[in-house]
Amino acid sequence: MKINWGTAIVLAFIGFIGFILFFIVRMSTDNRANHDLVTEDYYKAELEYQKEIDAQNNSTKDVAQLQVKKQSDGLRIEFPENLSPEKIKGTVSLYRPSNKQLDFNLPISLSDNHLLIPDKRLLDGRWDIKVAWTYQDKEYLHKENITY
């Protein structure tokens, strides 16, 4: 049986449309392609953004820069040496862009000028770290992206 040009073009269109429909059905039902908003309360977080900008400016103005270092036993967050560790309060938020079930928050309670996040809590991959802390009623914020 011979296929003429018209039949070949119609078969090509049917094959292409079938492939596109298969691709759409597969991507809409696959859990790996499930992408949510970055945060649940996105618009509320957007209104709070100016406070974050002010806190980040405080940390650069007051020379209160943190250092985040990867070590064999975990992730070490070092606070400035000139600050009293007992007066530092706040939280460390670790956000995993690829899986929101891995996100967690840690309260800051220091006896020394560093905080260690154990290696068993962190999987390999990208993490967004947000350290929001206060010292003598002044708010500071440090944001960093690392690949662990």
Side-chain angles (χ1 to χ4, degrees):
M1 173 171 124
K2 285 191 168 186
I3 299 177
N4 61 19
W5 281 96
T7 307
I9 290 174
V10 169
L11 290 175
F13 276 129
I14 290 172
F16 180 71
I17 291 170
F19 169 73
I20 295 298
L21 288 175
F22 167 75
F23 187 71
I24 290 171
V25 168
R26 180 163 179 188
M27 287 297 109
S28 63
T29 60
D30 192 3
N31 285 336
R32 291 181 295 163
N34 186 11
H35 300 292
D36 296 328
L37 288 174
V38 174
T39 60
E40 294 295 326
D41 297 326
Y42 178 77
Y43 297 108
K44 181 181 174 185
E46 187 67 29
L47 296 174
E48 298 280 329
Y49 193 61
Q50 185 59 44
K51 291 180 183 177
E52 287 187 14
I53 293 171
D54 294 340
Q56 281 181 313
N57 289 339
N58 286 342
S59 63
T60 56
K61 262 193 313 191
D62 295 347
V63 192
Q65 290 290 324
L66 303 181
Q67 293 181 357
V68 179
K69 297 179 181 178
K70 181 180 173 182
Q71 294 181 335
S72 62
D73 55 348
L75 193 65
R76 182 180 171 125
I77 301 173
E78 293 183 1
F79 289 86
E81 290 290 327
N82 59 343
L83 303 180
S84 174
E86 296 83 21
K87 296 180 181 180
I88 297 173
K89 301 294 178 207
T91 59
V92 177
S93 301
L94 282 102
Y95 168 73
R96 182 71 183 248
S98 62
N99 188 351
K100 69 178 180 182
Q101 281 79 25
L102 297 176
D103 299 351
F104 63 94
N105 296 327
L106 294 172
I108 297 174
S109 61
L110 303 174
S111 60
D112 198 4
N113 279 52
H114 69 275
L115 176 70
L116 183 66
I117 300 170
D119 187 43
K120 63 182 178 181
R121 301 271 327 247
L122 302 169
L123 297 175
D124 292 343
R126 180 177 170 208
W127 288 92
D128 295 343
I129 300 172
K130 181 177 169 182
V131 183
W133 53 288
T134 58
Y135 183 76
Q136 294 179 343
D137 296 329
K138 194 164 188 180
E139 294 184 0
Y140 299 94
L141 180 67
H142 178 83
K143 289 184 178 180
E144 188 170 335
N145 301 330
I146 63 161
T147 303
Y148 194 75

